[in-house]
Amino acid sequence: MSILGTRVLRTEDPRFLTTGGVYTADVADERLAGACHVHFVRSTVAHARLRSVDVSAALELPGVVAAFTGQDLASAGMRPVSPPMPNMNGEMTWPLLARDVVRFVGEAVAVVVTEHPHQGEDAAELVDVDYEMLPAVVDMDEAATDEVLLFPAAGTNVVVAFGDRDELDPGLFEGCDVVVSHTVANQRVAPAPMETRAAAAAWDGQGRLTAWIPNQGAVGTRDALADMLGIDGSAIRVITPDVGGAFGAKFGADPEHAVVCWVARQIGRPTRWTETRNENLLAMTHGRAQRQVLTIGGNRDGAVLAYRLEILQDSGAYPRFGAFLPFLTILMAPGPYAIPRAEAVARSVATNTTPVGAYRGAGRPEATAAVERAIDLFAAEIGMDPAEVRRRNLLPPFTEPHRTAFGAVYDTGDYVAALELALDQAGYAELRKEQADRRAAGDVVQLGIGLSSYVEITGPGAEEGGPNENATVEVHPDGSATILTGTSPHGQGHETVWATLASEELGIPLDKITVKWGDTDLIPVGGGTGGSRSLQLGGAAVQQASRELIDVARDRAANELEVSAADLVFDVERSAFSVAGDPDIAVSLAGLAESERLFVRAVFRSPGPTFPFGAHVAVVEVDTETGKVWLRRMVTVDDAGTVINPLLAEGQRHGGIAQGAAQALLEEVVYDADGNPLTATFADYAFVSATEMPSFELAGMATPTSYNPLGAKGIGEAGTIGSTPAVQNAIVDALAHLGVRHIDMPASPQRIWETLQSVRR
Ligand code: MCN
């Protein structure tokens, strides 16, 4: 009986629940014996010229081994980091430690290196930084005026533009009965993984570096380090210990990681670094951070005819992946709708804030939030039920690829069915009735029902020949097997699922299969984990390698048994080949591995990314006197094609829904007008917890893709994409009868209360 599609328990969990994980800070390796501790001295101001950075007093403190400034790095020939894409403004480079100018609070300006971790903080206090203040540019619109430039040599604060605003079609909304426009915030949030950033570094006598770094793909981390350190990738081995959450923000490597490695080489001793929570909230990349102008037009019969999305993306002080996010937002702008005319443009601007990077969904939640808000604004304007407006405008079901006006090629989809299933499971008609009753009774606490329909992209990649991933499967003489994967799990459960996929083909029990990843010497190629790519590419590669291994083994078994390969059958139960009709003449895979290593490395290539989709229904109660919101129910349909392990897929949905709902309800990174962060501790950054969440109601729907033999699309981010607009729309819906049309996220009690005050006035 197949174990694919069954709720195989996570094989990772016994270790995590008993001995616990081994995170970078826990790594005990003889190469790290006698390691010094690196502590970063960070800018306390958002924008200033550095007159001087004096580390002499710190060097006097007992326990201080060394200290370095940006000037020291520059003198040693270390180059600043270039923007990640060639189309970004090349003048906007990021020195590993600030040298002339600091551009955000939290930017590293120096390091102190100490014998013990606790000595670093005291030593850092003694580093004297002389700032000559410059005006801080915190707001994106202000940045776009180019009045104060972060990089004068760049001549502008615009990092990159997607599309030309001057070429927007003035006639886009011609013929529409109704046109609605609104400026909305997709606010900046913090990824806030449980494990903060960290690194440990050791150089050997031959000048080769071993770096332990929590990351989402060791190969990408190695390449980023090679670039920053100015050395060849072959001189670096990156090892990935357990990773305590990443959510997109641990891709590649940050300047701090390179500095920790560089310091180890300078002082001739290994180094370690683990940032504090405060540093993490200050200096790990943030996510989202878009301001969007939505315009939607259509007819009173509910037909949407035109949609325009104008995006201003805050890239933070130095361009990272965040500056690229609008590309993905534009790609997915029309979402699951058949909108006859649509256009989208974007600009990413530099501001004196923490750099923005990828955060769960990266660009797609922003697209969904925009179009779902637009649909609700349109529905409110024409006085039609938002479910009905969606029904009338969703693309009809398709099984052949569908190309959108923005160049995305959706593989398979049935958006109407997803919506109907979600509405049905939620009991939509009864909810509307309850809402009407409460409105009629003038209840203080009102009911809101919010919808979102979405389609997103997973497993993207611009590789020649299509997005791909590799896997190696080897069977050992003792009957065990090893899988090497180019993916890099950090909570997604690849150990369980990759072993399941191999077990299914090879007949080797799960507990005899070891999955390895995250060591560039062992697995020098691989795309890591992000964009919910892993199962559809990396899992498919494991299945392919296992199947090819059976082919290789069949020929060897034929030789061994001196029969024709065509006469052999593979008995999965016994993990052995036998002669058809004579089960006693047999040789096992393990037996075949005795004489010669039995392994296959396979690369799975997909014709393209896949497009998971779904529909979410959020039910909220809002206190119209205090603005307090209770999220009562979340009913979701998240169609990721064929599901290989429902337990894991549901776990991913739960985590994603909570994160997405949290953006609508609570989370926001806030700066004051001078660029001082106001949310740099967990006391100030409103982080969601289980107590604020209901138990989620997950409905099942699976429309397979033909892009991989598993039929699987990605599920890792879907929850985050569908839930945010559903919750936001529900809050607005609860107050719609009072005249409320929009409330920006996070819809905190204060913001709701203020909105109610203004509509009442
Ligand atoms: N799965 C399945 N059937 C499907 C799709 C997926 O059984 N049709 C299973 C897979 O086997 C895998 C899991 O679900 O065990 C997620 O698979 P996939 O959708 O391929 O996503 P990835 O493994 O590539 O995970 C990436 C995604 C991203 S991009 C972010 S960000 C994210 C997320 O996953 N960050 C996470 N989930 C996270 N979960 C945890 N605990 N921590 C993070 O940092």
Side-chain angles (χ1 to χ4, degrees), residues 519-603:
D519 179 342
T520 54
D521 275 6
L522 194 61
I523 307 159
V525 178
T529 286
S532 301
R533 68 189 293 278
S534 299
L535 179 63
Q536 62 192 289
L537 301 175
V542 171
Q543 187 188 56
Q544 184 178 324
S546 306
R547 289 181 173 175
E548 289 178 11
L549 185 141
I550 294 293
D551 292 341
V552 170
R554 183 184 301 276
D555 288 340
R556 278 166 54 177
N559 260 340
E560 189 124 334
L561 300 174
E562 297 180 340
V563 294
S564 150
D567 292 336
L568 290 174
V569 286
F570 183 66
D571 179 357
V572 180
E573 298 288 309
R574 292 199 293 162
S575 186
F577 286 98
S578 59
V579 175
D582 195 349
D584 290 342
I585 307 179
V587 60
S588 67
L589 291 180
L592 290 170
E594 268 167 29
S595 45
E596 189 189 340
R597 278 183 71 188
L598 180 56
F599 71 98
V600 166
R601 179 178 184 275
V603 176

Side-chain angles (χ1 to χ4, degrees), residues 361-421:
R364 295 101 85 202
E366 295 87 330
T368 302
V371 75
E372 288 307 291
R373 207 67 279 288
I375 293 280
D376 265 30
L377 284 165
F378 177 70
E381 198 63 28
I382 62 171
M384 188 179 277
D385 185 306
E388 192 50 36
V389 174
R390 284 177 174 76
R391 265 186 207 112
R392 289 190 188 194
N393 293 286
L394 285 169
L395 282 163
F398 55 95
T399 48
E400 292 299 317
H402 166 85
R403 181 179 288 274
T404 73
F406 292 89
V409 182
Y410 298 173
D411 55 336
T412 51
D414 191 347
Y415 309 140
V416 181
L419 176 66
E420 296 299 352
L421 179 59

